[in-house]
Amino acid sequence: MNTQRRTLLQGAAAFAALPSLARAQAAWPNKPVRIVMPFTPGGTTDFVARLVGLELGKALGQPVIVENKPGAGTVIGVDAVAKSAPDGHSFVCVANSFTANQTLVRKLPYDTLKDLRPVALMGMSEHVLATHPGSGLKTLADLRNQARAKPGTLSFASFGNGTSAHLSGEMLKLQMGLDIVHVPYKGQGPALADLLGGQVTVMFGNWPEFRGHVQAGKLVALGMATAQRSQYAPAIPTLAEQGMAIESNSWNGLLAPAGTPDAIVQRMNAEVNRALASPAVTEAFHKGGIASLSGTPERFAEFIRSEIAKYGDVIRKANIQIEG
């Protein structure tokens, strides 16, 4: 057998031995792509995932379906994807709570850093601390005075245990020495509804969802949780201007199950970044007051580690923990 024929036969045998996943990967995606949303519908993270998902569907040639699976401070939805097949057809859209739960939840059913792969950061919304008009509060000083006059009677709502709204409220309690009660919800939508109805006193919330209510006088903005005055709400003083060093926001990004092939992660990252730069997403983000984050999977991984450290410090100081 000549050398050329032997080489051809060896090459054919090697190709035949390739794992089926590697061959299927070239045709990815070959069915609808699922993005699990561990929050209720209606919040900024849900909006961003659906908006970006529309653009992804066009680029990938398959429908991108956003599936709401809230509960247990996002643990249920994240765990569902951590245990999914790593074939590039299941992702989860996480937010701040994903990194907080590493310290907050005593027994997570997944390993935060080993069972999921960072794919892409997407968006970030600034937080406003707001109250309902019936509270009589106008400033942080008013909140301090009322909380000290009636300890344990005021409350703050959050999107759920371990969410950015929860931990920002804990930071506020620590810095101001307040005795106010945390009331967790299964998402921003139901929490905002109760804030508007006066069932809870204050709440850190995403400016895009709160803006219309503040402008209509249905909510009172006590301050923006930003380092400088927000370009989206320049008339509202920051919490820092009122003596509280609290910066708070809601970010979101995509994770895939560990074991998802590098080629799929890199392709999905590239398509997310293209979607974020598209006219439709850029315009919607600008109108909604949402900042685009984008970047590489490696940058997202570094970001996750830094957020785990930041929230871990707050959780330990506030001495809060939840059973898994």
Side-chain angles (χ1 to χ4, degrees):
M1 182 183 297
N2 62 41
T3 302
Q4 183 178 13
R5 177 173 173 77
R6 183 183 298 110
T7 301
L8 289 172
L9 289 173
Q10 289 172 341
F15 179 78
L18 283 174
S20 60
L21 177 61
R23 293 198 297 270
Q25 184 180 322
W28 176 85
N30 53 32
K31 61 182 179 179
V33 173
R34 176 182 68 146
I35 296 178
V36 170
M37 174 59 53
F39 299 99
T40 54
T44 300
T45 298
D46 186 74
F47 170 76
V48 168
R50 293 179 187 279
L51 181 66
V52 172
L54 287 174
E55 297 300 313
L56 289 175
K58 298 173 188 176
L60 297 175
Q62 289 284 351
V64 174
I65 301 166
V66 177
E67 175 188 340
N68 293 92
K69 193 182 286 289
T74 74
V75 171
I76 291 174
V78 173
D79 188 48
V81 172
K83 291 178 170 60
S84 295
D87 60 2
H89 293 94
S90 291
F91 297 85
V92 61
C93 187
V94 298
N96 311 57
S97 52
F98 173 71
T99 54
N101 285 340
Q102 172 72 4
T103 308
L104 183 67
V105 180
R106 190 182 299 275
K107 294 181 181 179
L108 282 173
Y110 53 83
D111 187 305
T112 304
L113 297 176
K114 293 181 180 179
D115 292 344
L116 294 135
R117 290 193 66 174
V119 176
L121 275 165
M122 295 195 296
M124 185 274 287
S125 299
E126 298 167 338
H127 278 179
V128 60
L129 177 64
T131 185
H132 57 91
S135 71
L137 306 176
K138 301 292 183 183
T139 65
L140 273 187
D142 294 338
L143 177 61
R144 179 191 292 110
N145 293 337
Q146 192 174 131
R148 289 180 177 174
K150 302 176 180 178
T153 61
L154 304 187
S155 58
F156 76 94
S158 78
F159 320 152
N161 288 313
T163 59
S164 53
H166 173 201
L167 298 180
S168 297
E170 295 292 346
M171 282 190 266
L172 188 72
K173 288 175 61 177
L174 286 170
Q175 290 192 30
M176 297 185 72
L178 303 181
D179 180 7
I180 56 177
V181 180
H182 173 223
V183 183
Y185 290 80
K186 288 186 177 181
Q188 180 171 255
L192 176 55
D194 273 7
L195 180 65
L196 287 164
Q199 279 76 44
V200 287
T201 313
V202 295
M203 177 181 170
F204 281 93
N206 299 328
W207 178 244
E209 283 80 34
F210 278 56
R211 176 178 54 188
H213 299 300
V214 171
Q215 291 172 344
K218 295 179 181 179
L219 290 177
V220 177
L222 300 181
M224 295 295 293
T226 52
Q228 292 85 34
R229 291 218 177 188
S230 169
Q231 63 172 313
Y232 304 114
I236 301 175
T238 66
L239 299 179
E241 288 177 62
Q242 301 175 68
M244 291 297 108
I246 298 174
E247 293 181 38
S248 179
N249 57 59
S250 289
W251 54 263
N252 46 68
L254 287 183
L255 302 175
T260 301
D262 291 343
I264 290 177
V265 170
Q266 293 296 335
R267 168 82 188 281
M268 190 65 159
N269 174 269
E271 296 300 354
V272 168
N273 287 333
R274 288 192 190 97
L276 293 173
S278 69
V281 174
T282 300
E283 182 179 357
F285 273 25
H286 178 72
K287 287 182 178 179
I290 302 169
S292 174
L293 296 180
S294 67
T296 65
E298 293 74 22
R299 179 196 168 201
F300 191 15
E302 292 173 4
F303 179 80
I304 285 172
R305 287 191 289 270
S306 68
E307 289 287 286
I308 287 173
K310 179 180 77 175
Y311 285 125
D313 185 55
V314 175
I315 291 164
R316 285 185 288 270
K317 286 180 179 177
N319 194 30
I320 51 177
Q321 195 163 64
I322 298 170
E323 295 292 336

